[in-house]
Amino acid sequence: ENQSDGRMSFLKSSNYVSLVFFLQLTLSITSFTNVTRDRFSYEIVQNEYLVMFHRYMPPSDHAAVLKQVIGEMGWTLKVRNNPAWFLPSDFALINVDQQEHIQTLRKSSIVKGVFAERKITQTLKNIENEMNPLPEDLPNNIWFRNQTGKMFTKEVDVAEFDDPFGRSARRLHASFHEQVPELLHANLLWESKYSGTSVKVAVFDTGLRHNHPHFKNIKEITNWTSEDSSDDGLGHGTFVAGVIASQSECLGLAPDSDMYIFKVFTGKRVSYTSWFLDAFNFAIHREVDVLNLSIGGPDFLDQPFVEKVNEMTANNIVVVSAIGNDGPLYGTLNNPADQPDVIGVGGINFSDGLAYFSSRGMTTWELPEGYGRVKPDLLAYGQSMMGSRIKGGCQMLSGTSVASPVVTGAVALLMSTVSEADRWKVNPASMKQVLIEGADRLPDSHIFEQGSGKLNLLNSYELLRTYQPRLSAVPRTLDLTQCPYMWPYCSQGMYHSAQPTVINVTLINGMGVSGEIVEPPRWSPSKNGERVEVSFAYPEMLWPWSGWLGIYLQVHENSSQWEGIAEGIISVLVESPAMRGETLPRRSQVNIPLRVHIIPTPPRNKRILWDQFHNLRYPAGYFPRDSLDVKDEPFDWNADHPHTNFQGLFRHLRQRGYFVEVLGKSFLCFNASNYGALLIMDAEEEFFPVEIAKLKKDVTETGLGVVVIADWFNVDVIKKLRFFDENSGKWWTPATGGANVPALNDLLADYGIALGSRIFQGEINNVFRNTTAFYDSGTSIIRFPQNGMLGSFWMTRGRILFELSNSFIHIYQRKASLYQSFSTSP
């Protein structure tokens, strides 16, 4: 960042043909003080597969059905000895000796899909102290080592306090002396005889002791693990259940709720996908009302898990899930909290500030072509929280796994204010609507950090009292001039000839689990609204309980030199089937106010086009981390984008007066004469020959500048990072390195520039300023034109990383140059 303005000076003359080349810089801050953060080892269970069927059937029928498809030899059916053994199930767990059976099953009309059984093992490592949180002014581009595990609890710290109102607790809570239920004014609802009575709450976690003194309404404790006991040997499940329903010492929000405890993790923090799927089916059978999942992971394409969560909400179960502990990085939302039908919860501290560990949005499902949705949905207390210990008494934890049960307890409490006869009217959509519409917005956080804001229990109670089934939108209003809440939209005015401004609105359908957009959305301009061109993309059906609306905004040509505010209303009409006792379909229209700031089109030398089209990430494919030092997470899942993990650079460019637009299409789809530079940031995708030819013409004929930022690529290292995927029965080799250097070399060949395969790491000195930075798993320039201008950086405490035999060899170089001489040959 510190170098950007010096180098961007090349763009100040629109008729200077510039080709500026950066190598990757990553500021790596791995440890500050001491806090507990989860670590997971992930492995495929050898030869075990989940066979998902299109319908439920008795377990006794599974063997017969499978024999019809793959015969009797080369496989065995694994018996699942758990509380759901007698229930119809939509999947079987098999052990397969002959891999051809997997392909045969996948071709069968009765089989929905075949997926490898997965084992997750969780460990803890101290990396940060909740009592001494990170300063608020940390650089935006720091990263923490995080995990790839699919199902994990989000425990951050364990610090035991026998007296929740003692001196230590007062110091941590600043001026607050109340417990969380008091801070949320749950006691006012308790005084009105509302305390969660007859609301069925399921907790998927590490179990609970049967005779725990904090609980009186434990209706059922089931064990889905391989252990003999359903007791909690870790304390996390006890803590989560206590936040929801503890009746003494450290109080829960809904102490009279009916608790259904599902032990899905062993005392060694191990779980399997099949355990979760069986537990989900059993929760549906028990007709629970709300489910807490203090778990998550980056794989939103994990089909069995994602679809089962959808099935839970479709069965009218409100699912609440932790958004993740991967903050302060952006684009780090965890699944299932990032699903539209799930209530995704982030964390705040007792000063109502965003918790540093809370994962930030946006969602990354839609990238690179589209734009992400707003998540988290809302925030709740999650830092230095008091909760139940294994045998009684209280302890303190932090994390979004702590914030999630706060919202779960609030949901149970709110449900109990509705009579049991009418409780069927409360559904996952209506509950989400009253929670987010009742939330209090934080003044200093933007929408992808806080969603709709901090949980306000009493506001949501009042909304639920008068609730009528309807359609709503998130965000409710689109005031793109409102900062900081509507960052990044508010950080840059709209102007003619810019790439479309894309807004991904979530539609929440409180009328029914399914709905249909019955007519195209409408744009009704008001004050200066005719200056804005509005178009839409949307699905015909909304399911379950939700959908999306893509809004594309551009400025009309006649406003290229105009500045002012343009306003209007976007309207969407949805129809859902009639409900119990009704004869006509339900209809509801949501009106979304839009307000934008239009500015005159900036000069070309101030406009930068960010290439998003050539950025790829896990889980769309196997793309390794940019930093090879991150050993515990192989996948690059943060989705490179100027509004997520590169938002620090985006802010820097904006502060320097540049206007940044995002290109979600190929190079054929932009007019180079509008831009001073094309920014190619850490590209993983290849470039089509027509793109290369078009870009060459743009550079040589229109004077377009090109800025390339790239990191490592080494074939031997890539081979070392491959693994065997039981899902496909194939070896997975990374599609590229940290960047696709061969593709970049193809793009740069006509300019006499090439990158090498050596991987550099270490501290470098900035020749433009008296500063240093860390060069993390970067590449080197091995070819450059004789008449080119090449800046050099000296590595003072560095090394070259490369693959030799079966291990990484670290070669220390006292002052290794990051480039080779002005060579015209590779």
Side-chain angles (χ1 to χ4, degrees), residues 350-591:
F350 284 100
S351 299
D352 288 347
L354 185 69
Y356 62 90
F357 53 76
S358 188
S359 290
R360 278 74 161 162
M362 55 187 168
T363 63
T364 59
W365 300 30
E366 300 81 3
L367 301 179
E369 292 87 356
Y371 197 82
R373 291 171 284 109
V374 173
K375 284 278 183 170
D377 292 302
L378 76 163
L379 306 174
Y381 294 119
Q383 190 165 346
S384 304
M385 282 277 294
M386 303 301 298
S388 301
R389 295 170 63 182
I390 292 178
K391 297 180 180 180
C394 300
Q395 65 175 336
M396 183 174 291
L397 298 181
S398 293
T400 54
S401 65
V402 174
S404 179
V406 171
V407 174
T408 300
V411 169
L413 185 55
L414 290 169
M415 278 190 175
S416 69
T417 68
V418 180
S419 67
E420 291 188 56
D422 292 332
R423 200 167 292 167
W424 64 272
K425 299 178 182 179
V426 180
N427 58 55
S430 62
M431 184 56 68
K432 178 183 281 192
Q433 287 171 327
V434 300
L435 287 174
I436 63 178
E437 292 170 17
D440 295 326
R441 187 179 297 177
L442 303 186
D444 300 322
S445 297
H446 64 67
I447 192 169
F448 294 117
E449 295 173 330
Q450 65 170 303
S452 293
K454 169 193 168 185
L455 170 68
N456 186 315
L457 181 63
L458 296 185
N459 280 357
S460 296
Y461 166 66
E462 292 297 331
L463 288 168
L464 186 59
R465 286 181 58 205
T466 59
Y467 180 81
Q468 294 295 322
R470 54 184 167 79
L471 179 71
S472 65
V474 178
R476 283 176 284 170
T477 62
L478 298 175
D479 186 352
L480 306 194
T481 69
Q482 187 179 34
C483 269
Y485 184 66
M486 286 303 292
W487 186 92
Y489 298 106
C490 64
S491 65
Q492 180 171 296
M494 291 176 51
Y495 47 88
H496 172 64
S497 76
Q499 296 295 310
T501 297
V502 183
I503 307 171
N504 192 340
V505 171
T506 300
L507 299 176
I508 306 175
N509 181 21
M511 298 182 293
V513 65
S514 64
E516 180 182 2
I517 299 178
V518 294
E519 60 184 40
R522 300 192 312 275
W523 163 240
S524 303
S526 54
K527 183 180 178 181
N528 298 315
E530 70 283 352
R531 298 179 180 272
V532 182
E533 299 174 355
V534 183
S535 57
F536 306 100
Y538 54 93
E540 292 184 2
M541 296 297 298
L542 279 61
W543 187 90
W545 307 106
S546 59
W548 54 270
L549 173 66
I551 302 173
Y552 299 82
L553 307 177
Q554 291 182 290
V555 175
H556 198 277
E557 184 178 6
N558 62 14
S559 299
S560 61
Q561 299 304 313
W562 183 82
E563 181 170 5
I565 302 298
E567 300 176 341
I569 300 291
I570 295 170
S571 300
V572 184
L573 178 64
V574 167
E575 180 178 282
S576 288
M579 297 297 288
R580 186 187 306 176
E582 299 174 345
T583 57
L584 297 177
R586 293 180 165 187
R587 280 198 170 199
S588 179
Q589 178 173 292
V590 62
N591 297 315

